[in-house]
């Protein structure tokens, strides 16, 4: 492990004063027709949502960090900013190493294509070579345990099945930094255990992992650091037990209430 | 350990991290060496081309740094190829009839337009003239309708259709419209074979000048790619651009030398005293005209046609790429 020697000089991810805002209009779908219609009526209303506000933190190599917070706190936004999908509107994000994303459900999948084609497309989009993919394809398919469904269009998958495939692709990309956003919430109990084991394996192999979860127990079990976001602001970063205790206290709910819907 | 304290910690670490990218990438390199070889599999490729350090900063409508962007684009080209292959496979699922349809559809279309021409222009031409007219129509209609219009139509929906892939993965978005250009080209290839069958079937000679025709196809491809990028970007902002595009393609078809010969327009203009060079306002005038002249008549087009076609295609390609790249960071938010 090289974490100690490089920890201060060279963090895996450093986020400096990052703000991310979404500009939305109240139009459901922007169209040319509505734009022309609007010409007569003047300005359209643009709504600015500040999803992240001046967030700064650093994560060292080899850390598995849990991100917790209420719905709409900006957790998914933070993951997308670190993955380079959403540009920050202010601040700077520096990422050292290759990022593999597992964001929300459905991940990057084209539902008309088969599971196999999607695995290949996902891997290539993430920058794998064909040889690497051929090497690892069987492993990915085996881990997802989809049987003959792997060659069926993904329209025929249940949400848990696509989540399994997505998780399998993400962990087998051998990322330096793994981002997981609630992707396990629909997996069945058996797969969750298997996934948890795999995540621990990734974490132990000196990989860096970000885990967004509403399940406090899995954060405690899998992470050695935690980060609490509230309404786009960083409330606390530190030991998972402490952060979770503070968070639950903040919510004025006992920890028991959370263990019910664990993981 | 509340926000204030974190901020203090954050600002104290601010200075050491504000090193140049070059320095930090060097630091990362040494870090990488220390790791077990098994771990490096994933990053090796990236490090060959770009450093594994990514810096994300706000850039409002500005262009991304071009060198790393194009390196990443080149490195990810297998993705575009696979994307295009998958969509071709999805399109003709029932392989045999799917293939037949790919060829039958443009052939029927050519017949419809030929019938239209016969009705409008009358039938007082010789058989030979009608054959040349039909072969010219096929040469231009196939390349226009399948290749060029295909680039526009499929390219336009490439980004919006990318959906989840765009929201959850980070890659040079330019790959999406370019993949559609490849798709359109591969759909065009069987119709090119069909064209040669028609050409030879009607007993027309195969001119040696035809070996120069790929130059015009290349111009058309570059021009089509530029248009695909522009319309892909516009569709993010105006989802109904597809409706508008249908009419545009139809009008472009009538305004280009497909149903008529290039010299018909230039002669007409000369008669009323307008220099025929005005016709090069339509980029397809030189591209389709040159394509047909070389293939059907075996005439080498005049220099101004080569120049007009080349200039138009390069301008469209560069403008399209710049427009697309300056907007692509916004796509994830807009979808
Ligand atoms: N595409 C979008 N357009 C506009 N606003 C958005 C968009 N996506 C998210 N937001 C807003 O950004 C804020 C943060 O959203 P985000 O998805 O990051 O929350 P989250 O912490 O992941 O929540 P959850 O726990 O429900 O997943 C919310 O206020 C949300 O309304
Ligand atoms: Mg979320």
């Amino acid at each position: 492990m090289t974490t100690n020697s490089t920890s201060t000089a060279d963090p895996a991810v450093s986020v400096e004063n990052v703000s991310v805002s979404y500009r939305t209009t109240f139009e459901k779908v922007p169209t040319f027709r509505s734009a022309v219609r609007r010409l007569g009526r003047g300005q359209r209303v643009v709504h600015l949502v500040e999803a992240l506000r001046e967030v700064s933190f650093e994560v060292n190599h080899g850390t598995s960090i849990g991100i917790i917070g209420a719905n709409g706190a900006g957790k998914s936004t933070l993951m997308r900013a670190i993955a380079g999908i959403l540009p920050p509107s202010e601040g700077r994000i520096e990422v050292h190493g290759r990022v593999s994303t597992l964001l929300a459900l459905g991940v990057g999948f084209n539902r008309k294509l088969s599971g196999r084609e999607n695995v290949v497309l996902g891997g290539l989009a993430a920058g794998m070579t064909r040889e690497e993919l051929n090497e690892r394809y069987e492993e990915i398919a085996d881990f997802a345990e989809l049987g003959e469904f792997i060659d069926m269009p993904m329209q025929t998958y249940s949400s848990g099945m696509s989540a399994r495939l997505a998780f399998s692709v993400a962990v087998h990309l051998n990322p330096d930094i793994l981002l997981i956003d609630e992707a396990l919430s629909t997996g069945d109990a058996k797969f969750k255990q298997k996934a948890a084991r795999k995540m621990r394996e990734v974490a132990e192999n000196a990989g860096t992992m970000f885990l967004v979860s509403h399940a406090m127990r899995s954060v405690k079990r899998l992470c050695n650091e935690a980060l609490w976001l509230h309404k786009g602001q960083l409330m606390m970063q530190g030991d998972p037990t402490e952060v979770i205790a503070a968070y639950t206290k903040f919510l004025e709910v006992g920890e028991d209430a959370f263990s019910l819907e664990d993981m | 350990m509340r926000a204030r304290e974190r901020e203090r910690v954050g600002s104290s670490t601010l200075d050491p991290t504000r090193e140049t990218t070059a320095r930090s990438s060097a630091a990362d390199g040494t870090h990488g060496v220390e790791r077990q070889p098994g771990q490096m599999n994933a990053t090796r490729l990236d490090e060959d081309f770009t450093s594994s350090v990514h810096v994300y900063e706000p850039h409002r409508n500005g262009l991304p740094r071009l060198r790393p962007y194009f390196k990443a684009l080149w490195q990810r080209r297998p993705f575009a190829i696979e994307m295009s292959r998958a969509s071709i496979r999805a399109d003709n699922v029932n392989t045999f009839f799917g293939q037949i349809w790919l060829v039958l559809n443009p052939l029927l279309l050519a017949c419809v337009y030929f019938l239209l021409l016969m009705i409008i222009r009358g039938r007082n031409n010789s058989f030979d003239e009608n054959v040349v007219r039909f072969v010219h129509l096929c040469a231009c209609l196939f390349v226009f309708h399948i290749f060029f219009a295909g680039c526009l139509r499929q390219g336009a929906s490439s980004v919006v259709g990318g959906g989840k892939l765009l929201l959850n993965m980070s890659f040079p978005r330019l790959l999406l419209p370019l993949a559609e250009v490849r798709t359109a080209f591969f759909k065009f290839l069987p119709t090119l074979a069909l064209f040669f069958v028609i050409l030879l079937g009607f007993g027309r000679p195969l001119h040696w000048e035809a070996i120069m025709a790929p130059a015009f196809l290349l111009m058309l491809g570059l021009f089509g790619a530029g248009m695909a990028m522009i319309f892909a970007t516009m569709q993010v902002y105006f989802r109904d651009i597809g409706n508008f595009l249908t009419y545009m393609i139809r009008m472009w078809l009538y305004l280009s030398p497909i149903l008529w010969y290039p010299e018909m327009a230039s002669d007409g203009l000369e008669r009323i005293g307008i220099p025929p060079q005005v016709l090069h306002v339509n980029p397809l005038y030189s591209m389709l005209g040159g394509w047909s002249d070389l293939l059907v008549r075996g005439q080498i087009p005049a220099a101004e046609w080569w120049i007009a076609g080349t200039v138009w295609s390069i301008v469209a390609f560069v403008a399209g790429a710049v427009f697309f790249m300056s907007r692509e960071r916004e796509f994830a938010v807009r979808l």
Side-chain angles (χ1 to χ4, degrees), chain B:
Chain B
M1 275 276 269
R2 275 296 179 90
R4 255 161 269 115
E5 197 185 336
R6 277 306 309 163
E7 248 162 62
R8 189 184 55 74
V9 174
S11 56
S12 71
T13 53
L14 216 111
D15 285 331
T17 50
R18 214 171 264 265
E19 51 201 346
T20 60
T21 319
R23 182 159 129 44
S24 53
S25 73
D28 194 62
T30 57
H31 173 77
V33 171
E34 285 170 57
R35 294 175 64 180
Q36 302 97 323
Q39 307 271 294
M40 292 305 296
N41 288 357
T43 40
R44 200 194 305 126
L45 190 73
D46 277 35
E47 281 162 357
D48 277 351
F49 293 97
T50 55
S51 71
S52 63
V53 183
H54 307 272
V55 177
Y56 305 117
E57 277 174 330
H59 54 101
R60 291 188 184 80
N61 298 340
L63 288 174
R65 283 172 305 157
L66 292 181
R67 265 174 62 89
Y69 187 92
F70 283 113
K71 276 177 182 167
L73 191 75
W74 181 247
Q75 182 212 330
R76 304 277 168 100
R77 72 196 183 285
F79 165 71
I81 293 170
E82 194 57 42
M83 190 85 184
S84 143
R85 276 197 196 139
S87 76
I88 289 173
R89 236 174 316 173
D91 260 13
N92 43 9
V93 216
N94 319 322
T95 41
F96 181 69
F97 286 103
Q99 297 278 353
I100 294 281
W101 180 244
L102 269 186
V103 176
L104 201 61
N105 176 36
L107 187 63
L108 289 175
L109 202 69
C111 291
V112 168
Y113 279 115
F114 186 68
L115 199 68
L116 192 77
L117 277 184
M118 295 296 268
I119 292 167
I120 294 176
R121 297 241 170 224
R123 287 182 295 120
N124 44 5
N125 284 326
S126 70
F127 177 74
D128 243 21
E129 278 171 57
N130 279 334
V131 164
V132 173
R133 188 189 268 174
F134 183 69
V135 173
H136 163 78
L137 175 67
C138 285
C140 292
L141 188 68
F142 293 171
V143 80
F144 176 86
H145 193 259
I146 308 293
F147 185 39
F148 181 70
C151 286
L152 256 66
R153 258 187 306 240
Q154 296 150 34
S157 51
S158 62
V159 169
V160 172
K164 283 271 167 64
L165 202 60
L166 247 80
L167 283 178
N168 293 322
M169 292 250 181
S170 149
F171 58 90
R173 311 312 198 195
L174 212 47
L175 287 169
L176 294 172
L178 290 179
E180 295 303 334
V181 172
R182 185 188 181 274
T183 308
F185 179 71
F186 276 87
K187 284 185 178 168
F188 163 67
L189 282 184
T191 66
L192 187 63
L194 174 67
F195 164 75
F196 282 113
V197 169
I198 291 171
L199 184 78
L200 298 174
F202 278 114
R204 304 292 310 170
L206 197 60
H207 304 280
W208 70 266
E209 287 87 352
I211 53 166
M212 281 185 261
F216 282 91
L217 194 62
L218 180 70
M219 291 175 200
L220 203 65
L222 283 178
F223 186 69
M227 291 287 122
M229 295 171 203
I230 289 172
F231 280 101
T233 313
M234 300 227 319
Q235 185 145 35
V236 175
Y237 297 93
F238 307 111
R239 296 301 159 85
D240 54 353
I241 207 88
N243 302 338
F244 167 73
L245 200 60
T246 314
Y247 293 108
M248 207 186 90
I249 289 171
R250 186 62 61 87
M251 285 202 308
W252 216 333
L253 172 81
Y254 297 147
L255 291 175
S256 306
I258 298 170
L259 303 182
W260 38 274
Y261 296 121
E263 67 270 11
M264 287 161 117
S266 53
D267 289 352
L269 282 185
E270 232 159 356
R271 225 171 294 132
I272 55 171
I274 299 172
Q277 280 77 9
V278 170
L279 287 166
H280 288 297
V281 166
N282 177 7
L284 295 185
Y285 179 75
S286 53
M287 293 175 198
L288 290 179
W291 171 251
S292 169
D293 272 1
L294 286 167
L295 281 181
V296 181
R297 298 180 184 165
Q299 278 174 8
I300 298 174
E304 64 181 65
W305 288 43
W306 293 85
I307 295 166
T310 311
V311 169
W312 265 120
S313 59
I314 291 172
V315 165
F317 189 81
V318 171
V322 167
F323 182 52
F324 188 97
M325 286 190 295
S326 66
R327 294 284 163 168
E328 73 163 46
R329 294 300 290 268
E330 238 184 71
F331 291 168
V333 192
R334 297 271 179 174
L335 283 182

Side-chain angles (χ1 to χ4, degrees), chain A residues 22 24 49 51 70-77 182 214, chain B residues 333:
Chain A
Y22 292 99
T24 49
V49 182
N71 292 135
K75 305 183 292 295
S76 304
T77 308
E182 288 176 301
H214 289 290
Chain B
V333 192

Side-chain angles (χ1 to χ4, degrees), chain A residues 16-33:
Chain A
E16 291 167 30
N17 295 315
V18 165
S19 303
V20 177
S21 46
Y22 292 99
R23 285 163 58 86
T24 49
T25 53
F26 289 102
E27 291 173 275
K28 202 164 156 221
V29 186
T31 59
F32 191 61
R33 215 174 68 179

